[in-house]
Amino acid sequence: MKHKLITSSVRERVGDFAPAFVSYTEDVLFGDVWRRSELSLRERSLITVSALVAGEHGGQLPYHLNLVPRITDYRKKNWSRSSLSLPFM
């Protein structure tokens, strides 16, 4: 069973000048990859945030950190404890 569809703000942000990017984000990334059932949304979120921290992509962190409590049962308090050691790895 697929996970529910996740909405993104990419269309409002870059839709006028990057429609292909919007399509990829909405259709492929959030429309397919994030909805696959092999990983829970909690696992997928933890992996994503870990990769963003490891790759020094801090600009994308606020979106994903705010997404976690909306799509999972994981609360911000627990999330911050889980991700505390990431910057030191």
Side-chain angles (χ1 to χ4, degrees):
M1 184 173 151
K2 285 192 168 194
H3 298 295
K4 67 180 182 176
L5 184 62
I6 298 169
T7 56
S8 154
S9 61
V10 71
R11 182 174 298 279
E12 292 81 29
R13 291 181 166 189
V14 299
D16 293 339
F17 62 90
F21 183 73
V22 171
S23 177
Y24 176 79
T25 301
E26 291 180 347
D27 300 336
V28 178
L29 186 60
F30 287 123
D32 178 32
V33 175
W34 272 80
R35 296 182 73 201
R36 294 178 187 169
S37 59
E38 293 85 3
L39 294 174
S40 71
L41 290 174
R42 184 175 172 180
E43 292 166 328
R44 199 174 302 278
S45 296
L46 185 57
I47 291 166
T48 300
V49 169
S50 299
L52 292 173
V53 170
E56 299 180 9
H57 299 286
Q60 295 180 40
L61 281 173
Y63 174 80
H64 286 281
L65 292 174
N66 288 316
L67 179 66
V68 171
R70 286 191 356 234
I71 63 172
T72 71
D73 60 349
Y74 217 48
R75 301 291 166 239
K76 285 184 180 182
K77 178 176 68 173
N78 298 350
W79 186 251
S80 62
R81 289 178 185 159
S82 298
S83 59
L84 183 62
S85 61
L86 289 174
F88 304 101
M89 296 180 148

